[in-house]
Amino acid sequence: MAGGAVVSGNGIGANAPKNAIAGILMTAFAAFGGILYGYDTGTIAGIQAMPNWLETFGHQVPVSTTNPSGYAITSSQQSLVVSILSAGTFFGALFGAPVGDIIGRKWGIILSCLVFSIGVAMQTASTAMALFVVGRVFAGLGVGLVSTLIPMYQSECSPRWIRGAVVSAYQWAITIGLLLASVIANATQNRPDHSSYRILIAVQFIWAAVLSSGMVFLPESPRWFIKKHRDADAAAALSRLTGLPADHEDVTIELDEIRANLHAEEELGESSYLDCFKPGYNKILFRTLTGIFIQAWQQLTGINFIFYYGTTFFQNSGIHNPFLISVATNIVNVFMTLPGMWGVERFGRRTLLIVGAIGMCVCEFLIAIIGVTISVENKSGQQGLIALVCIYIAFFASTWGPIAFVVVGEIFPLNVRAKALSMSIASNWLWNFAIAYATPYLVNDVPGSAASRRRCSSSGARRASAASSSRRAPKKETDGVSIEEKV
């Protein structure tokens, strides 16, 4: 999953009173954007397996275990529909920083919701593939903006003593959004008309409305006000966040600290992207490559195969209720993120990343072996497949899911932080797009493929067995001698 929390900037200091519950709730509310992002990412897994959506956008095929509705889309259409969101999100994430600097973090989030809603409207109204794809692009732009602006807003507005928990709540909200998408998809999948997928898509208007309307009443980032030399507005915003009067000593001290940090950034001067790749005593090159590759490897774990194609994968494996299984896997994802949020400080980043990588590797080998060897009628094999997928998700959610973003939020020096972070997150979205685009070509059945031959041979064996039995029965009735005895 891309777009997790990245902590940067100056949050409200330790001098903020710990009973400033209102300020904590305000910054925690912004994590609701994670639900918007996670839900949008999760909808496509259910949509592309819905009978009415396939009938509307696909073509007729013979009814089979893998195509029970009698309709399907081509591999090229499937890869385009799924991956185009990540393409839009890639550019949205790059635009997030300048949008936040120009109009502010708060109004940038509201603008993101507007862009996102345009994409949702296009997808809801579409009955043609072209409009649906364009809608996915606009939704991706909105999601990309949100994925940059909300962690930025939270890290700059939350009290320092609780900043990590507040920003991590955004990552947790993403998993909740994925779960909500699978639950609603399961509830609407069998509706006989366009409402089956339109309800699932249109629910996103609610998430966008809640986030944008709530942000209207929240204060802007004091750090952004200071950067724009609007000191009075910064004091008023910080007053709301801390629950202290605008002229209180603690508010003044915090504003002075923000000014000092901004002054230090200005003294370091503007750095170019080339500066991120210059070797030196502070190992900037090594840090930059670490951020880029750790984000790439998070996607190369294959987790988005489950969240993008999980429903289709379970259906192709012969599982009779793939939507319900997707709900179960998302429940695992939600609750196993909590141990990761707790264990990151207790066990360390590196240890958890190594343990998670080993656990996921073992599960993926077993899933691959079972997936290509068992028959679609093998109940025990299917149950083992589901269990291994759940264990695999548990390893990811408690390790590489949140921790990859914690690492890139901590390793860069101030003078190159923004640019190095943008390249790291861009790496995540780029690999997200590549994997989503390539997967249908790798796993879909095509004439002559191994999976196709396996299913054909399995069904052929069953037909041959049935025919053989029907031929043997009359022989036994007429002469009482079996075929084997005659041979």
Side-chain angles (χ1 to χ4, degrees):
M1 292 176 293
V6 176
V7 181
S8 62
N10 306 93
I12 308 306
N15 293 324
K18 295 189 178 184
N19 61 351
I21 302 299
I24 295 172
L25 292 177
M26 279 190 272
T27 52
F29 170 80
F32 192 88
I35 293 180
L36 179 146
Y37 161 53
Y39 185 93
D40 184 66
T41 302
T43 53
I44 198 62
I47 286 173
Q48 62 182 321
M50 287 183 174
N52 183 264
W53 188 85
L54 289 170
E55 183 178 350
T56 303
F57 295 93
H59 58 277
Q60 198 165 5
V61 296
V63 176
S64 65
T65 303
T66 57
N67 294 299
S69 66
Y71 290 89
I73 57 175
T74 64
S75 295
S76 60
Q77 289 175 319
Q78 188 180 29
S79 66
L80 177 64
V81 166
V82 176
S83 65
I84 200 66
L85 177 79
S86 299
T89 309
F90 173 81
F91 291 103
L94 292 178
F95 294 148
V99 167
D101 285 340
I102 294 170
I103 67 175
R105 284 60 161 143
K106 168 183 170 177
W107 291 105
I109 293 171
I110 295 172
L111 175 64
S112 304
C113 293
L114 176 61
V115 174
F116 177 78
S117 296
I118 293 172
V120 172
M122 289 181 177
Q123 293 176 75
T124 304
S126 64
T127 54
M129 184 64 77
L131 183 60
F132 190 86
V133 169
V134 173
R136 293 275 291 168
V137 173
F138 274 89
L141 286 171
V143 167
L145 290 166
V146 164
S147 69
T148 299
L149 290 170
I150 284 184
M152 187 187 301
Y153 176 84
Q154 288 182 307
S155 63
E156 292 181 357
C157 294
S158 57
R160 186 175 301 158
W161 59 274
I162 200 172
R163 184 196 306 165
V166 169
V167 178
S168 295
Y170 175 69
Q171 175 71 22
W172 191 42
I174 292 174
T175 66
I176 295 174
L178 287 163
L179 174 60
L180 289 172
S182 64
V183 169
I184 297 175
N186 184 56
T188 64
Q189 59 168 309
N190 292 321
R191 295 177 72 91
D193 52 24
H194 294 334
S195 65
S196 59
Y197 66 88
R198 283 178 171 171
I199 291 174
L200 178 62
I201 296 172
V203 166
Q204 296 173 103
F205 284 121
I206 299 175
W207 313 140
V210 170
L211 178 61
S212 58
S213 59
M215 290 301 301
V216 169
F217 299 101
L218 297 189
E220 179 57 87
S221 163
R223 189 176 187 275
W224 184 79
F225 277 135
I226 291 293
K227 191 173 184 178
K228 297 297 181 180
H229 306 292
R230 296 167 59 178
D231 291 8
D233 291 330
L238 191 58
S239 173
R240 290 187 61 192
L241 291 167
T242 60
L244 297 172
D247 58 353
H248 193 278
E249 180 183 2
D250 287 343
V251 173
T252 303
I253 292 173
E254 181 62 30
L255 291 175
D256 289 340
E257 183 179 342
I258 293 173
R259 291 190 191 95
N261 283 320
L262 285 173
H263 181 66
E265 289 183 16
E266 292 172 356
E267 286 186 341
L268 289 172
E270 289 292 329
S271 298
S272 67
Y273 280 95
L274 288 177
D275 291 326
C276 299
F277 296 94
K278 291 182 178 178
Y281 70 94
N282 57 358
K283 298 183 178 179
I284 289 181
L285 174 61
F286 178 74
R287 297 185 192 195
T288 301
L289 294 178
T290 298
I292 290 173
F293 281 105
I294 202 169
Q295 290 292 312
W297 282 113
Q298 192 213 48
Q299 287 301 306
L300 290 169
T301 61
I303 189 64
N304 276 334
F305 171 77
I306 300 298
F307 295 125
Y308 287 154
Y309 300 103
T311 306
T312 306
F313 169 70
F314 291 131
Q315 187 178 74
N316 290 348
S317 299
I319 294 170
H320 297 298
N321 199 337
F323 285 87
L324 193 59
I325 301 303
S326 292
V327 172
T329 58
N330 278 286
I331 290 174
V332 173
N333 188 38
V334 169
F335 288 100
M336 288 306 297
T337 300
L338 297 176
M341 294 167 62
W342 168 78
V344 66
E345 300 295 344
R346 183 175 180 85
F347 302 110
R349 284 74 163 145
R350 183 172 180 270
T351 300
L352 287 182
L353 289 175
I354 293 173
V355 170
I358 294 172
M360 286 187 290
C361 180
V362 172
C363 290
E364 286 175 323
F365 268 116
L366 293 175
I367 290 169
I369 293 169
I370 293 174
V372 299
T373 55
I374 66 168
S375 164
V376 293
E377 268 86 32
N378 189 324
K379 301 294 182 184
S380 298
Q382 291 175 6
Q383 292 171 354
L385 200 64
I386 295 169
L388 285 168
V389 168
C390 289
I391 296 171
Y392 162 75
I393 292 174
F395 272 111
F396 176 85
S398 57
T399 57
W400 280 78
I403 295 172
F405 292 100
V406 172
V407 171
V408 298
E410 296 174 338
I411 62 176
F412 301 120
L414 189 63
N415 61 322
V416 298
R417 178 187 294 163
K419 292 180 174 61
L421 275 174
S422 68
M423 286 190 290
S424 297
I425 302 302
S427 171
N428 188 297
W429 286 119
L430 183 63
W431 283 100
N432 191 318
F433 168 80
I435 292 169
Y437 187 85
T439 297
Y441 295 103
L442 299 175
V443 302
N444 281 356
D445 282 357
V446 295
S449 69
S452 179
R453 289 194 301 271
R454 178 168 54 88
R455 288 192 175 92
C456 290
S457 63
S458 177
S459 59
R462 289 194 298 273
R463 288 194 298 269
S465 177
S468 177
S469 297
S470 65
R471 288 194 300 269
R472 284 197 299 265
K475 289 289 183 181
K476 289 182 179 179
E477 292 176 356
T478 55
D479 55 18
V481 181
S482 69
I483 295 176
E484 289 79 9
E485 289 173 336
K486 288 186 176 181
V487 174

